[in-house]
């Protein structure tokens, strides 16, 4: 048998959702898990426990893997460099991952490549922040360049006083903050791309994402009413970034849609993610090839699969942890009410606000599909039952 | 966490394909595997090795499972009875499984229920076989009532001489043979049903199955040109059988389509299978709910999912082992040629004629879909490459 083994650093829900794709492809998975009961470790037989910044653990884990890829972007660059020096095939590679790990590097690189970003600056003091705000106006979005996710590491400030705790911490650690102009956007979009080492790329339709408190809560595929010109420009930009940065695997570009003079709308790039992404979970049920299968195909340099949707509309709603710990009982009722809802649970204990699963509904009537997906997610969470 | 554990006796490809469904549902699987590298044991962390007729092994395996179900129908009735006596929840139950294990019992029960079967008789001697053949004509199909599958345990005989080795063995073992009239059929059909302990049932569209040398090689969903009256009658019969036999889980009824006076066609029941079935593999890619997810929902007594197709046509072709052991290299070429092919590999070593995987293609043009699926399966097997 010549079927390869793919190593995945991190045992969260993204690694978990790679498992069904690997089963079908006949590819073996090995997961470097945070704990024996991590989301992915529950469903992957070969799941040693180890930390993503522990070089010895990752080295041992990588031995025998045809390629090493990631559930998250938190493997330190020196660890990645050591793996590459060992001859381990790492996809996406360290030089690409850098731009998903460090938002300051990302902004500099995208700006250099002529990709629309919000006005931005690196600031290290109240004076520098005041100067930036004078140019672009308040409020300003402050971001820690490294380590933020799901709204963490992001602070919207109306004035210098609000920024002072973050500026003080920045001064203490000696690390600059990324300051960005707040974009007055129409809505948020995401473009999901897969790119393989041989240079093949595939894109899914541009989607609309809805964020609540900095966490993605709903994704509508495709983005309703998106102007075809804007869809084409946004897709071209995502493909250009993937190529310029030599990304391999699945890659998400989060964007703000903004008005433009021509009326077709324009985009400003918000964030990059170099892995399967929440904005692509709908592809499991709504596309010929899911982002998880595609990620495996891409990092193995297999030909990519069709990204064609299988329904007119697909809507994904995240199930966030609420007050009710018993998800099983709740989802039983959801199944009874709506046989068409696709439920995906992550095997995680419920904590308030934690992503513990998602639901997807596909169909031809967008309002119906959205309402059913929202109801199902709310019900599982416990928002409706009292 | 209240998510249940489902035990599956047998670690073949059917158990393997339950794994992706369990991942999404958040349900834990435990597989009683034939060996540590059995098809399902490769992808399920909790896969103790044990034989299906070893009561001690099954007892230990069943402890902690909310329900025990099956990859195959070969667990002996005394073992099943002991499990039930222990208080283990077994689905489908022994009283239903009997009719999938013993074709003589099945024929008697279906005949009693008024379901169309081929003319049949139990024969223990040349005289009894000759008497049967005199009534229905040669050739006659001989079957060993217990233990046959994929064409094994079935012999088409033109005369008594051809039957004599089987008759001799029957006489030696004291077990009767099932003799059936060979049905002059138009084509073969299958009806896939899911039924839960609460009595809910769901059916997928009737499919056409193509058998080669007694092995299912192709499934077309739905059966092209099937008369709606026949579809309704065949479906009603499958539902009646499921209810009469108190089947739980996914259940397949294999039928022959035969001409009738009215022109809508008629059916004769050939075989029953009480588990996910080869004729339902297309549902993974071509239906809102796959037979594997549905089987888990049914045996857990969860509400059943929608059986609606997601495409006009789905065609599944089995990949049978050929002369080329390197499936990975071949499927790379298949992916490059046709990004819409869904490939499912079973992690099995290639042996001639062994089912080692399947492919599914969905689309709107039946001829195109069939040709693509057939080409992909042939290519992976090595029929085209030399």
């Amino acid at each position: 048998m010549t079927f390869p083994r793919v190593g995945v650093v991190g045992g969260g829900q993204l690694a978990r959702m790679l498992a069904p794709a690997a089963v079908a492809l006949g590819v073996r998975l090995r997961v470097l898990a945070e704990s024996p009961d991590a989301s992915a470790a529950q469903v992957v037989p070969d799941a040693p426990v180890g930390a993503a910044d522990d070089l010895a653990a990752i080295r041992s884990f990588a031995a025998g893997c045809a390629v090493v890829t990631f559930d998250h972007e938190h493997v330190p660059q020196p660890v990645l460099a050591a793996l590459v020096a060992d001859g381990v095939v790492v996809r996406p590679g360290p030089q690409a991952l850098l731009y998903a790990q460090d938002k300051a590097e990302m902004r500099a690189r995208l700006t250099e490549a002529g990709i629309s970003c919000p006005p931005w600056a690196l600031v290290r003091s109240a004076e520098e922040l005041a100067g930036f705000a004078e140019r672009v106006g308040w409020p300003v979005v402050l971001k820690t360049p490294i380590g933020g996710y799901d709204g963490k590491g992001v602070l919207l400030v109306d004035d210098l006083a609000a920024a002072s705790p973050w500026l003080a911490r920045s001064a203490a650690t000696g690390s600059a903050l990324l300051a960005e102009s707040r974009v007055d956007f129409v809505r948020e979009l995401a473009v999901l791309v897969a790119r393989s080492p041989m240079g093949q790329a595939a894109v899914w339709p541009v989607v609309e994402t809805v964020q609540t408190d900095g966490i993605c809560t709903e994704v509508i595929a495709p983005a309703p009413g998106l102007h075809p010109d804007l869809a084409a420009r946004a897709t071209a930009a995502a493909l250009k970034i993937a190529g310029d940065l030599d990304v391999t695997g699945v890659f998400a570009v989060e964007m703000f849609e903004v008005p433009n003079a021509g009326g077709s709308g324009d985009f400003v790039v918000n964030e990059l993610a170099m892995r399967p992404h929440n904005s692509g979970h709908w592809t499991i049920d709504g596309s010929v090839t899911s982002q998880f299968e595609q990620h495996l195909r891409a990092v193995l340099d297999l030909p990519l699969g069709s990204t064609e949707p299988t329904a007119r509309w697909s809507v994904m709603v995240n199930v966030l942890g609420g007050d009710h710990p018993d998800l099983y009982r709740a989802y039983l009722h959801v199944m009874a009410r709506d046989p068409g809802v696709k439920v995906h649970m992550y095997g995680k204990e419920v904590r308030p606000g934690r992503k513990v699963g998602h639901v997807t509904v596909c169909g031809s009537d967008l309002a119906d599909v959205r309402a059913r997906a929202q109801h199902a997610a709310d019900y599982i969470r416990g928002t409706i039952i009292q």
Side-chain angles (χ1 to χ4, degrees), chain A residues 269-345:
Chain A
V269 170
N270 182 23
E271 304 274 0
L272 307 183
M274 290 185 193
R275 47 171 171 72
H277 188 250
N278 204 160
S279 67
H281 289 356
W282 68 275
T283 59
I284 300 174
D285 301 300
S287 173
V288 171
T289 309
S290 78
Q291 65 166 344
F292 298 100
E293 176 179 342
Q294 199 80 302
H295 187 70
L296 292 174
R297 290 166 75 148
V299 300
L300 286 166
D301 212 6
L302 288 167
L304 301 178
S306 165
T307 53
E308 201 180 334
T310 56
R312 176 72 186 92
W313 298 106
S314 294
V315 173
M316 189 275 335
V317 178
N318 280 329
V319 178
L320 302 178
D323 298 330
H324 294 265
D326 187 356
L327 299 173
Y328 187 72
R329 192 175 303 264
Y331 96 173
L332 188 152
H333 288 284
V334 164
M335 289 177 177
R337 182 177 189 270
D338 189 343
V341 170
K342 303 311 296 176
V343 178
H344 299 265
M345 304 308 302

Side-chain angles (χ1 to χ4, degrees), chain A residues 29-33 35-36 40-42 44-50:
Chain A
L29 279 192
R30 175 179 294 163
V31 169
L32 186 67
S35 71
Q42 294 169 24
V44 174
D46 186 5
V49 172

Side-chain angles (χ1 to χ4, degrees), chain A residues 5-343:
Chain A
R5 176 178 288 114
V6 175
V8 185
V9 178
Q13 67 264 28
L14 301 178
R16 179 186 177 96
M17 288 186 275
L18 286 169
V23 169
L25 291 175
V27 161
R28 305 232 179 184
L29 279 192
R30 175 179 294 163
V31 169
L32 186 67
E34 293 76 6
S35 71
D37 65 344
S39 180
Q42 294 169 24
V43 302
V44 174
D46 186 5
V49 172
D53 58 359
D54 177 344
L55 178 57
I58 293 204
R59 273 195 164 130
S60 149
F61 156 82
C65 291
V67 57
V68 167
T69 187
F70 308 95
D71 171 78
H72 57 66
E73 291 129 345
H74 307 318
V75 181
Q77 283 284 331
V79 172
L80 296 171
L83 286 180
V84 171
D86 288 350
V88 174
V89 178
V90 176
R91 290 177 182 155
Q95 82 296 340
L97 272 171
L98 174 66
Y99 302 103
Q101 292 178 327
D102 187 325
K103 295 184 188 10
E105 295 282 355
M106 180 266 284
R107 284 287 177 237
R109 180 69 185 258
L110 294 188
T111 302
E112 182 192 316
I115 303 287
S116 289
C117 292
W120 64 278
L122 284 178
V123 299
R124 294 172 178 274
S125 67
E127 291 68 31
E128 288 180 7
L129 177 57
F132 177 71
E134 200 163 303
R135 287 210 317 276
V136 306
W138 296 100
V140 165
V141 181
L142 290 181
K143 296 181 176 179
T144 52
I146 293 173
Y149 68 96
D150 278 356
K152 295 180 178 69
V154 177
L155 186 70
L156 182 70
V157 292
D158 288 320
D159 50 33
L160 278 184
S164 65
W166 278 40
L167 286 168
R169 198 179 57 200
S170 167
T173 60
S175 53
L177 290 172
L178 178 63
E180 297 181 352
S181 176
R182 187 179 67 166
V183 176
D184 191 15
F185 60 82
V186 177
R187 60 176 168 177
E188 295 188 62
L189 304 173
V191 186
L192 197 68
V193 174
R195 186 172 174 276
S196 61
M198 66 172 114
Q200 191 192 3
V203 291
W204 285 269
V206 180
V207 301
E208 176 175 343
T209 67
V210 180
Q211 324 284 324
T212 310
D213 300 330
I215 299 180
C216 171
T217 49
E218 182 184 15
V219 173
I220 307 170
L226 185 68
H227 196 290
D229 287 352
L230 177 54
R233 280 180 280 127
T235 300
L239 286 167
K240 175 175 165 50
I241 299 169
D244 282 4
L245 272 46
D246 195 21
V247 179
T248 49
V250 163
F251 167 61
V253 182
E254 298 180 79
M255 300 175 173
F256 298 119
E257 181 177 344
V258 294
N260 71 346
S264 61
D266 213 338
F267 67 86
V268 170
V269 170
N270 182 23
E271 304 274 0
L272 307 183
M274 290 185 193
R275 47 171 171 72
H277 188 250
N278 204 160
S279 67
H281 289 356
W282 68 275
T283 59
I284 300 174
D285 301 300
S287 173
V288 171
T289 309
S290 78
Q291 65 166 344
F292 298 100
E293 176 179 342
Q294 199 80 302
H295 187 70
L296 292 174
R297 290 166 75 148
V299 300
L300 286 166
D301 212 6
L302 288 167
L304 301 178
S306 165
T307 53
E308 201 180 334
T310 56
R312 176 72 186 92
W313 298 106
S314 294
V315 173
M316 189 275 335
V317 178
N318 280 329
V319 178
L320 302 178
D323 298 330
H324 294 265
D326 187 356
L327 299 173
Y328 187 72
R329 192 175 303 264
Y331 96 173
L332 188 152
H333 288 284
V334 164
M335 289 177 177
R337 182 177 189 270
D338 189 343
V341 170
K342 303 311 296 176
V343 178

